[in-house]
Amino acid sequence: MTTHERDFSASIDPVKLDRLAEVAVKVGVQLQPGQDVVLTASTDALPLARKIAEHAYKAGAGLVTPVFRDEQIVLSRFRDATFDGFDRAPEWLLGGVASAYADNAARIAVRGDDPSLLSGQDPDKVARANKADSLASRPALEKVTGFDINWTIVAYPGLAWAKQVFPGESDDVAVARLADAIFSASRIDGDDPVGNWREHNAALAKRTAWLNELNFDALHFTGPGTDLTVGLADGHEWMGGASTAKNGITCNPNIPTEEVFTTPHARRVSGHVSSTKPLSYQGTLIDEISVRFEEGRIVEAKASKGEDVLKKVLDTDEGARRLGEVALVPHSSPISKSGILFYNTLFDENASCHIALGQCYSKCFVNGASLSPDEIAARGGNKSFIHIDWMIGSGRIDIDGLHKDGRTVPLMRKGEWV
Ligand code: ZN
Ligand code: ZN
């Protein structure tokens, strides 16, 4: 029997699933009356996708268009294809999604796929297919990363993912436990999740306003295996929680979210840093990473597991060895307190302070929307095809903010805000 022949959605609390759908529509994208929605999901996540569509229509959606992928059909391509068509992607479909966004459709993406679906398949075919897919997806993705439209990502507890997070449990129990973990991380506990999010967004907004006022020149991280100075980009802006897209709609791009984050200076990072949680990258686990930076560039990199994959990642392009994001998350965040390793960046990055290799976010600059790529680069913004977050926070990390004139301000002690 394959894992897909049974329906595990019965293990998921239907009331909370309904509330998660409501949060996706009312908090995630804050859907406006008459607005269309492009809803992407795996066929495994049908129960949540249908609930989201229901809440979207009740909230006044114009047209909700689901775009499903099916893991067994994806797998079949790599296992069974007799024709070598791995450099192709459905440009007609992805181009259509891009034109929907150009017409102001909101984007709701449901994640929860098997994290290692393709791990046993020919890496060359997988790499070619991924490349074709990212090229064809670029016009749509640029509208998302450039924040042209309101968008959000929420999670659904797919069986394969649940079994990876809770390997010792039966299928039903693993799905039920991952569902509960997703609900509580997504602040779905309690009777008024939309109100919970209003409060949570206000707290994050207060934190980012404070950091923007302080306008640090750099951050200094110290802890076991870590003594790292991260220069911040000129004109950087801290973001967190809800933000307003260029179409004027305020949305929460990630459900859950706990981080406040900004853009480091690609040429002003120095010292060494050790990861505090394993990084799951395209089906490979990279563990106990330690790297050393000189003038913003990683000049030494080690890992106890997955070191060859890490080194390949670093050689992707020039920007892959430099930072594009630095984010602060208190050690007491609900996701961190759960103690669960999710093998999924949407969750794991919200459990811990982290840095990201690769591309920066243009919106993390003052007036970021009006800056050209050259202006962003001149301010220290990094450019790369990759953006990979990895965790460097724990209950043993101290962080100071450094001003240009040498003054320091304690920000975090033992992983908590001072
Ligand atoms: Zn982040
Ligand atoms: Zn990131």
Side-chain angles (χ1 to χ4, degrees):
M1 185 183 103
T2 75
T3 52
H4 290 260
E5 283 165 16
R6 270 185 62 208
D7 178 9
F8 292 92
S9 57
S11 331
I12 300 170
D13 182 331
V15 174
K16 288 185 177 173
L17 192 71
D18 183 71
R19 286 184 180 151
L20 181 60
E22 185 184 5
V23 162
V25 170
K26 292 188 181 162
V27 176
V29 289
Q30 290 206 25
L31 192 72
Q32 302 298 301
Q35 198 181 13
D36 290 349
V37 179
V38 175
L39 171 60
T40 61
S42 145
T43 47
D44 289 348
L46 251 180
L48 179 58
R50 285 181 176 150
K51 281 281 171 200
I52 289 173
E54 181 188 323
H55 279 283
Y57 279 123
K58 285 179 179 165
L63 182 62
V64 180
T65 304
V67 179
F68 287 109
R69 64 194 172 277
D70 181 80
E71 292 189 341
Q72 293 307 303
I73 294 178
V74 171
L75 206 49
S76 187
R77 181 185 184 197
F78 292 94
R79 268 190 196 150
D80 307 324
T82 53
F83 179 80
D84 184 32
F86 293 94
D87 297 304
R88 296 184 54 218
E91 279 165 36
W92 58 273
L93 177 68
L94 297 164
V97 170
S99 71
Y101 296 158
D103 288 340
N104 200 37
R107 174 222 196 200
I108 301 179
V110 179
R111 293 281 160 78
D113 309 18
D114 182 351
S116 32
L117 180 71
L118 299 179
S119 57
Q121 305 305 313
D122 180 349
D124 175 59
K125 288 179 182 169
V126 173
R128 285 163 59 203
N130 279 344
K131 192 176 171 191
D133 200 63
S134 31
L135 278 175
S137 306
R138 198 176 291 170
L141 216 57
E142 275 173 358
K143 299 244 181 315
V144 173
T145 55
F147 238 88
D148 289 32
I149 49 148
N150 46 330
W151 60 278
T152 195
I153 303 176
V154 292
Y156 182 82
L159 175 62
W161 180 26
K163 291 291 278 184
Q164 184 167 8
V165 179
F166 299 106
E169 303 287 10
S170 70
D171 292 356
D172 301 86
V173 173
V175 168
R177 287 193 63 186
L178 181 58
D180 285 342
I182 290 170
F183 294 141
S184 80
S186 306
R187 297 176 180 267
I188 300 302
D189 297 331
D191 291 334
D192 183 17
V194 175
N196 293 347
W197 273 93
R198 209 176 296 120
E199 272 172 39
H200 182 50
N201 277 329
L204 290 170
K206 209 170 139 191
R207 185 77 66 195
T208 55
W210 179 69
L211 287 165
N212 284 327
E213 199 185 320
L214 285 165
N215 192 24
F216 291 117
D217 183 55
L219 302 178
H220 185 210
F221 294 77
T222 47
T226 291
D227 184 350
L228 181 75
T229 304
V230 178
L232 299 180
D234 307 329
H236 69 272
E237 184 168 353
W238 287 89
M239 315 271 297
S243 45
T244 303
K246 287 178 194 158
N247 65 2
I249 302 168
T250 301
C251 62
N252 267 91
N254 288 352
I255 304 275
T257 188
E258 300 290 331
E259 58 174 345
V260 294
F261 57 103
T262 194
T263 303
H265 197 295
R267 297 174 293 280
R268 292 203 297 113
V269 180
S270 60
H272 53 92
V273 61
S274 301
S275 64
T276 50
K277 284 174 196 285
L279 163 66
S280 167
Y281 178 72
Q282 294 185 348
T284 305
L285 212 61
I286 309 177
D287 203 4
E288 295 182 79
I289 303 171
S290 82
V291 301
R292 193 165 63 79
F293 286 89
E294 271 176 18
E295 294 177 354
R297 193 166 183 275
I298 292 179
V299 290
E300 261 178 58
K302 279 183 294 197
S304 67
K305 251 192 223 161
E307 186 174 297
D308 47 338
V309 176
L310 174 67
K311 291 200 160 149
K312 231 178 223 161
V313 166
L314 293 176
D315 287 336
T316 310
D317 53 25
E318 173 54 29
R321 286 181 179 270
R322 298 179 186 272
L323 295 188
E325 179 193 343
V326 58
L328 305 181
V329 180
H331 187 58
S332 60
S333 90
I335 301 174
S336 170
K337 269 203 280 193
S338 76
I340 297 168
L341 180 67
F342 285 86
Y343 303 99
N344 178 314
T345 306
L346 179 60
F347 289 82
D348 292 327
E349 76 160 349
N350 282 303
S352 163
C353 291
H354 55 273
I355 49 181
L357 301 171
Q359 180 65 38
C360 73
Y361 292 112
S362 58
K363 64 173 177 152
C364 285
F365 283 93
V366 179
N367 296 324
S370 64
L371 296 177
S372 70
D374 284 347
E375 287 169 319
I376 286 170
R379 283 165 169 73
N382 193 32
K383 202 182 154 185
S384 171
F385 278 116
I386 65 163
H387 177 100
I388 301 173
D389 299 274
W390 51 287
M391 318 315 151
I392 62 166
S394 73
R396 295 159 77 193
I397 293 283
D398 292 342
I399 306 171
D400 290 315
L402 311 180
H403 283 291
K404 254 206 174 83
D405 60 11
R407 279 179 303 134
T408 69
V409 178
L411 291 182
M412 283 189 168
R413 287 293 175 266
K414 296 191 189 309
E416 299 303 329
W417 289 106
V418 170

